[in-house]
């Protein structure tokens, strides 16, 4: 049963609870760039990532984005079902960064089963705590780290995700991830290039000195 792979507590659910979840689950494929969920949408439901990559970000009043976290194969997205968590006060947008295959459990079904199952409720709380820890980590980065350190860390993270030192990413895309202005990103990347850490190309950034870049982010 596919849902068993996502929920370590699956065996502790009753057969009726298992059937309620599996019987209501739908599959969906989304293309890169599609917005799956945002604050103005109805409750999307619980997202289970079969394959692909999602980006969760928040939007400022001025329209500036900042990435909160990313989701990969076998991850679970709870904030897309925020209607079952009325205490959550911030609005999150979820976008497909790559073509993504999903399973979606309706929020009302999941909430009912969770209310009847302590193991599922506890596991859900663990996922929520993990995501909130990522939000707190992000806040620490924004508040206490210099922008050059955050940019260097981001480039190294992207390189690890893509398995390459050549990153097909624009200055505007980097700015959206880091919650900054494109002009600020461009100035810092040019500085990095002058220091021999990267090489800038149209629509791409190539890491040329990984050790210098690690030193720049304090790693």
């Amino acid at each position: 049963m596919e849902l068993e792979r996502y929920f370590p507590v699956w065996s502790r659910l009753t057969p009726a609870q298992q059937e309620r979840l599996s019987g209501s689950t739908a599959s969906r494929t989304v293309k890169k760039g599609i917005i799956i969920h945002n604050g103005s949408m109805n409750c999307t439901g619980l997202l289970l990532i079969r394959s692909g990559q999602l980006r969760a970000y928040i939007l400022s009043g001025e329209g500036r984005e900042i990435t909160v976290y990313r989701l990969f194969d076998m991850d679970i997205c709870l904030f897309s079902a925020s209607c079952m968590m009325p205490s959550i006060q911030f609005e999150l947008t979820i976008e497909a960064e790559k073509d993504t295959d999903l399973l979606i459990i309706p929020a009302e079904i999941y909430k009912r089963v969770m209310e009847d199952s302590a193991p599922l409720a506890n596991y859900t709380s663990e996922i929520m705590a993990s995501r909130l820890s990522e939000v707190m980590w992000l806040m620490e980065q924004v508040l206490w780290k210099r922008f050059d350190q955050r940019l260097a860390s981001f480039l190294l993270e992207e390189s690890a995700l893509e398995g390459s030192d050549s990153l097909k990413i624009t200055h505007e895309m980097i700015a959206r991830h880091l919650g900054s202005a494109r002009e600020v990103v461009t100035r810092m990347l040019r500085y990095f290039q002058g220091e021999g850490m990267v090489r800038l190309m149209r629509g791409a950034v190539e890491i040329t000195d990984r050790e210098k870049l690690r030193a720049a982010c304090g790693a």
Side-chain angles (χ1 to χ4, degrees):
M1 191 174 296
E2 192 167 6
L3 293 185
E4 187 175 0
R5 300 166 58 213
Y6 293 89
F7 298 100
V9 298
W10 186 258
S11 62
R12 299 171 64 187
L13 302 182
T14 67
Q17 290 168 342
Q18 292 177 355
E19 177 58 32
R20 182 175 290 181
L21 290 175
S22 58
S24 65
T25 300
S27 59
R28 181 183 173 189
T29 298
V30 292
K31 294 294 185 181
K32 177 181 177 179
I34 294 295
I35 300 296
I36 302 169
H37 173 84
N38 65 35
S40 64
M41 290 180 176
N42 292 328
C43 200
T44 305
L46 205 73
L47 303 180
L48 315 179
I49 293 83
R50 281 169 151 172
S51 64
Q53 184 172 312
L54 305 181
R55 169 184 173 237
Y57 64 91
I58 52 178
L59 202 61
S60 73
E62 296 76 31
R64 185 169 293 175
E65 300 173 8
I66 185 167
T67 299
V68 179
Y69 57 80
R70 281 150 150 180
L71 297 153
F72 306 97
D73 298 4
M74 300 303 299
D75 276 341
I76 297 175
C77 183
L78 285 176
F79 285 112
S80 55
S82 56
C83 57
M84 69 179 190
M85 299 171 285
S87 59
I88 299 297
Q89 296 298 316
F90 63 91
E91 295 182 349
L92 208 63
T93 300
I94 300 166
E95 173 189 19
E97 281 198 304
K98 297 181 179 179
D99 293 350
T100 302
D101 288 328
L102 299 167
L103 293 173
I104 304 176
I105 303 175
E108 65 275 11
I109 299 294
Y110 189 84
K111 183 179 180 181
R112 286 195 211 112
V113 175
M114 186 176 65
E115 288 172 346
D116 292 335
S117 170
L120 186 61
N122 290 337
Y123 182 62
T124 303
S125 295
E126 289 177 14
I127 298 173
M128 182 64 68
S130 174
R131 293 300 175 210
L132 290 176
S133 292
E134 293 182 63
V135 173
M136 293 303 298
W137 179 87
L138 172 65
M139 290 178 62
E140 289 178 0
Q141 298 297 301
V142 173
L143 289 171
W144 308 120
K145 265 199 166 186
R146 299 194 314 266
F147 183 73
D148 59 332
Q149 294 174 315
R150 292 178 58 216
L151 177 58
S153 296
F154 174 79
L155 294 174
L156 290 171
E157 178 186 336
E158 284 297 298
S159 176
L161 286 176
E162 300 300 327
S164 172
D165 283 339
S166 296
L167 309 176
K168 294 181 180 179
I169 191 167
T170 65
H171 298 191
E172 179 65 31
M173 291 165 66
I174 295 172
R176 287 168 53 198
H177 278 289
L178 298 179
S180 184
R182 181 186 58 79
E183 294 79 8
V184 175
V185 171
T186 297
R187 283 198 298 270
M188 191 57 66
L189 284 174
R190 286 174 177 166
Y191 170 75
F192 282 2
Q193 181 171 247
E195 293 295 308
M197 291 184 271
V198 302
R199 183 163 68 95
L200 304 181
M201 297 165 283
R202 187 175 182 84
V205 178
E206 182 182 1
I207 296 174
T208 53
D209 193 324
R210 185 172 290 271
E211 292 308 312
K212 274 190 177 181
L213 204 59
R214 284 199 187 98
C217 68

